[in-house]
Amino acid sequence: MQTWDYREGLRSWLIPELLAGPMALGHALSPDTTLHLLLARLALAALSLAIVGSAAALGLRLSRLHGIVVGFVAATWFELVYFAPRALSEPIGLALLMGAIWLLLARGKPGGKPGGKPGPRQFAVAGLLMGLCFVARIQYAPALLTLAILTARRDWRGAWLPMIAGGCGALAIDAAANLAMGAMPFRWMIEAARINLIAGRAGAYGEMPVTGYFSLIAWYWYLATAPILLLAWIGAKRYPVLLWVALAHLGFHSLIGHKEYRFVLASAALLVILAAIGSAELLRRVPRRRLALATMGTLALWGTASAALAAGHFRPNWSLEADLAAALERAGRPAATCGLALYRPRDTVAGAYALYRRDTPIYVLRTPAEAARHAGAFDVVVAPRAHAGELPKQYRLEACAAPGLTDAPGCVLRRAGGCTPDPAVPEINAWLRASGN
C-alpha cells in the first residue's frame, strides 16, 4: 500500500523499518493469522510504558503519594490506553518525549526540589531521545525546543553541547534508515515542510479555526475539562516546564488549519499528568489518619472519570473501521485466495495488505458492470452491505458485519475457482494515485 505521503517522500522510513521486525517474526511463526499485527501492537504498547514510567518517576520525585497517583492516572487514562498500541507517529513521539522529560526533570532524591541538574550524560541521552522524537513526528519541534531551552538554559558546555550531540546521533540513525531504503537522507523533512506548511496539502482534508483544539478537548473531556485544567494549574507549580511544553505544542498546532485530535496528544497527556500531580498536592492537605481512604477515593474518581469519558464522546473511536478490518482479515483467510476486489470503497484508503495477508492483486471496482466484466480476476470481494446484491451471482455471501454507525464495507463474498490477472482493472495503488490518497 502506497499512500500519498510516502509517494511524495515526506515520511521517514525509520518507524516502518522498526515495525518490520515484529511483523516479520509474526509472519514466520504464523503466516496465515494476524500474529504479525499482534506482535507489532505489543511492541508499541511496551514502548508506551515509557509514558507511565516517566510520569510515575516525576511523581516519585515529589513523594511516594505523588508517584502512586500519577502512575495510576498515566496507566489508566483512556486516551493513553487508546493510542498505546497504534502505529501512529504521535504516541511514538510522546513516549520518546516523556523519556527525555524523565531524564531532564525527574532527578534527585524523593521529596526534594524537582528539576535537579542533570549531568552531561543525561543531556546527551535526552538529546538522542528528543532527536528520535523529532524524526518520528517533526511537528514536535516547538515542544522539544521549549523543553531544551527551559532545562539547558545557558549551560552550553554541560547541557547544550551534549544534547546537540545526542540529537545528531538520532539524525544519523534516521539517515542510515532512509539510505537503506534508497531514499535521500533528510529529504523527507524538507518535503514535509514544503507540502504541508507551504503547499497546504493537509488542508484538503478539512480545516478548523484557531480555537479548534480547545473545542475538541472540551468535547472529549466534557464535564471533566474544568477540573482537569484547574488541577493541572496546581500541578504546574511543581513542574512549570511541563505546562510550557504542553502550551507550546498546543499553540503551534492551533496555528495549522488542518486539525486532528491525535496531533495534540502530547499536550493532552501532559495536562492530565499535571492534573494528577495537582490532585496529589490536594491530598497532602488531608489529615494523615484519613489519607489512605482519601487516596483510594481519588484513584477511584480518576478511574471512573477515565472509563466514563472512554464510553462517552470518545466511544466511536474504539471500534472505528472495525467492520472493514474484520472483512479484510476474513477475505484473506483461505490460503488459495487469488485476488481481492474492493467494491464501491470509500474515497479514502480502503484496503490493507497487512490485514489481507495474501500476495495477490487488490482491485477497485465502482459499478456492477465492472464487477461482472472483470469477475475472473478475483475470487473474493469486500463490499458494503447495501451494495452486496449488485455483484455477479457466482459470488456467495460469506459474512457481513453487524449493521453499525459507519458505512465502511463490511461484507465478504466469495466464488469458487481460480483467478486470471486483469491489467484492465485498476489495482489499489493505481487507484490511490488517481484519487490523490
Side-chain angles (χ1 to χ4, degrees):
M1 295 288 298
Q2 299 165 9
T3 52
W4 73 270
D5 46 352
Y6 276 93
R7 290 196 309 269
E8 297 290 341
L10 52 79
R11 302 288 185 192
S12 171
W13 283 102
L14 182 58
I15 291 177
E17 286 176 338
L18 293 176
L19 291 177
M23 293 185 74
L25 177 61
H27 275 299
L29 294 175
S30 184
D32 291 329
T33 69
T34 55
L35 178 63
H36 60 294
L37 294 180
L38 175 61
L39 294 183
R41 289 168 183 154
L42 288 175
L44 292 166
L47 176 63
S48 76
L49 294 179
I51 303 172
V52 180
S54 299
L58 290 170
L60 289 170
R61 178 64 185 77
L62 302 173
S63 73
R64 184 178 299 178
L65 174 63
H66 285 80
I68 291 172
V69 174
V70 180
F72 175 84
V73 172
T76 58
W77 189 248
F78 72 103
E79 292 159 312
L80 297 177
V81 173
Y82 174 81
F83 283 106
R86 301 185 185 277
L88 297 168
S89 59
E90 292 84 4
I92 294 173
L94 175 59
L96 296 166
L97 173 64
M98 288 301 298
I101 287 174
W102 169 68
L103 285 167
L104 298 178
L105 297 181
R107 299 281 298 165
K109 296 180 180 180
K113 184 179 179 181
K117 184 66 174 178
R121 182 178 300 177
Q122 283 74 35
F123 272 108
V125 178
L128 175 66
L129 294 177
M130 292 165 72
L132 292 174
C133 174
F134 175 79
V135 169
R137 181 83 180 159
I138 193 172
Q139 291 87 342
Y140 273 62
L144 294 170
L145 182 60
T146 302
L147 176 62
I149 292 173
L150 294 178
T151 53
R153 300 186 180 182
R154 298 182 181 181
D155 187 357
W156 286 97
R157 187 170 184 177
W160 280 105
L161 290 180
M163 189 161 50
I164 291 172
C168 290
L171 294 179
I173 293 172
D174 177 67
N178 284 276
L179 279 172
M181 294 298 295
M184 182 182 298
F186 312 129
R187 176 179 174 269
W188 67 270
M189 299 181 188
I190 300 172
E191 291 300 305
R194 181 184 68 83
I195 293 175
N196 281 329
L197 298 181
I198 299 176
R201 174 66 168 81
Y205 294 94
E207 295 186 349
M208 297 178 68
V210 70
T211 58
Y213 282 122
F214 298 98
S215 300
L216 287 174
I217 291 173
W219 172 256
Y220 285 127
W221 287 359
Y222 198 46
L223 296 179
T225 304
I228 289 175
L229 294 179
L230 178 60
L231 289 171
W233 179 256
I234 297 173
K237 296 178 181 179
R238 288 290 197 164
Y239 288 108
V241 173
L242 297 186
L243 179 61
W244 284 113
V245 171
L247 293 178
H249 189 71
L250 182 62
F252 170 75
H253 282 81
S254 295
L255 297 176
I256 301 174
H258 178 61
K259 294 176 172 62
E260 296 183 32
Y261 188 61
R262 61 187 172 92
F263 293 169
V264 293
L265 172 64
S267 295
L270 290 174
L271 289 174
V272 168
I273 290 171
L274 285 173
I277 293 173
S279 62
E281 289 287 295
L282 296 181
L283 281 174
R284 295 185 67 181
R285 303 179 184 180
V286 176
R288 183 176 293 273
R289 65 180 182 276
R290 300 178 181 175
L291 182 58
L293 183 60
T295 301
M296 289 188 291
T298 299
L299 297 181
L301 189 59
W302 271 106
T304 301
S306 178
L309 295 177
H313 293 159
F314 199 81
R315 183 176 181 178
N317 292 290
W318 297 98
S319 58
L320 190 65
E321 306 286 14
D323 45 0
L324 175 58
L328 290 169
E329 188 276 330
R330 186 182 186 95
R333 282 183 194 173
T337 300
C338 54
L340 167 65
L342 304 176
Y343 183 67
R344 290 184 181 270
R346 293 177 178 175
D347 290 332
T348 55
V349 180
Y353 274 101
L355 288 162
Y356 176 51
R357 310 181 309 286
R358 299 299 169 195
D359 187 16
T360 76
I362 297 180
Y363 301 107
V364 178
L365 303 172
R366 286 292 190 177
T367 66
E370 284 184 329
R373 185 164 61 252
H374 304 291
F378 49 89
D379 62 338
V380 62
V381 185
V382 171
R385 178 186 294 268
H387 300 288
E390 299 172 3
L391 294 164
K393 293 183 178 179
Q394 63 262 41
Y395 289 92
R396 302 294 181 182
L397 183 63
E398 187 174 282
C400 245
L405 298 178
T406 69
D407 60 347
C411 294
V412 178
L413 299 93
R414 198 181 303 270
R415 65 164 174 81
C419 305
T420 302
D422 190 344
V425 189
E427 291 192 38
I428 189 164
N429 281 320
W431 175 72
L432 288 172
R433 286 193 298 272
S435 61
N437 288 309

